[in-house]
Amino acid sequence: MPAVRVRGLTKRYPNGTLALAGIDLDVDPGECVALLGPNGAGKTSTIEVLEGHRSRDGGEVDVLGKDPATAGLAWRARLGIVLQEATDAADLSVREAVRHFALYHLDARDPDEVIALVGLEGSARQRIRALSGGQRRRLDVALGILGRPELLFLDEPTTGFDPEARRHFWDLVRGVQAEGTTILLTTHYLDEAAALADRVAVVVGGRVVETSTPSTLGGRLRLGATVHWSESGSARVERTDRPGDLVRHLLARPELLVDGELPGLEVHRPTLEDAYLALVDGVRR
């Protein structure tokens, strides 16, 4: 059975906003799935329903074999949650906080090991109130993985991270997944989704409009490539499904070459971001 199975999930807020208009989603055990979508698309509302933090108006939801609306503490102990914004005990040190929350888990990781995993060993004695935004985010991640969760929710986990810290975090997520943990990730960073996700699900207007692998989203493999070069001092560009053939043809024309090179030659294939933006724009239109 899927670790997460959602059918027809709906949610309308008291102000009349329809946040979820029929979400369908499956996440297999051990899989990492990224929820993508513009602000207000319904990603966080979906995550909160799956975590049991928010009620739903309709639809079927099964998370680790239970309905989050009625599941108990034993079920919650199987989850790890990194919220988009978290409150914490600002007067505690990093080590004190991690050791404290470790007491709530039957099979917690070693607190010092977790602190090192998220790159906070140099700040272990520092008070939480004195941490930078990126350091506080790392602490959130530490608390999320502390209990060896079967299912880990990561809601915008690398907000505030510098590029080096983000890469370190990606290695951490891969290691957690390699241990068998299922991961549901929301992120605005398309390179993060491409690096971590087995599949991506794009949410627009409270619905999942496409689910696929990062390499095939929006027919990415069918979008072809664009070849750029200079000819007689003018910039040229051509879209083609066979860029290698076009480049070989151009290189076989000696009148185009300068010192054996084709000026301005560049080959661009559509990125995940290109495919995502085209998909979202098409749905909106």
Side-chain angles (χ1 to χ4, degrees), residues 127-150:
R127 299 298 172 189
I128 293 172
R129 68 156 65 93
L131 298 178
S132 68
Q135 288 173 323
R136 291 172 69 94
R137 203 69 186 126
R138 295 189 201 189
L139 177 59
D140 294 338
V141 172
L143 298 180
I145 66 173
L146 187 57
R148 305 182 192 273
E150 295 178 43

Side-chain angles (χ1 to χ4, degrees), residues 98-249:
V98 177
R99 287 180 175 176
H100 170 75
F101 284 102
L103 298 176
Y104 289 89
H105 300 284
L106 293 177
D107 183 27
R109 293 174 182 267
D110 177 77
D112 289 330
E113 172 194 334
V114 172
I115 290 170
L117 278 173
V118 299
L120 285 177
E121 61 267 45
S123 305
R125 300 177 63 180
Q126 196 167 348
R127 299 298 172 189
I128 293 172
R129 68 156 65 93
L131 298 178
S132 68
Q135 288 173 323
R136 291 172 69 94
R137 203 69 186 126
R138 295 189 201 189
L139 177 59
D140 294 338
V141 172
L143 298 180
I145 66 173
L146 187 57
R148 305 182 192 273
E150 295 178 43
L151 173 60
L152 178 61
F153 293 97
L154 298 174
D155 197 2
E156 304 290 346
T158 59
T159 300
F161 279 31
D162 60 44
E164 183 180 1
R166 287 180 66 222
R167 299 283 176 164
H168 180 79
F169 173 77
W170 293 356
D171 290 338
L172 170 61
V173 172
R174 293 184 185 107
V176 170
Q177 185 184 10
E179 294 176 351
T181 301
T182 305
I183 298 170
L184 190 55
L185 162 76
T186 70
T187 181
H188 285 296
Y189 298 119
L190 277 296
D191 59 337
E192 187 161 274
L196 297 178
D198 300 302
R199 290 187 300 132
V200 295
V202 179
V203 182
V204 181
R207 291 186 175 89
V208 175
V209 297
E210 183 172 337
T211 303
S212 68
T213 65
S215 64
T216 59
L217 181 72
R220 183 177 168 192
L221 296 179
R222 301 191 304 273
L223 294 179
T226 53
V227 179
H228 301 253
W229 75 97
S230 294
E231 184 173 331
S232 301
S234 299
R236 297 286 304 277
V237 59
E238 185 172 330
R239 182 179 293 277
T240 174
D241 293 330
R242 302 177 65 87
D245 289 348
L246 176 57
V247 170
R248 281 190 291 270
H249 172 73

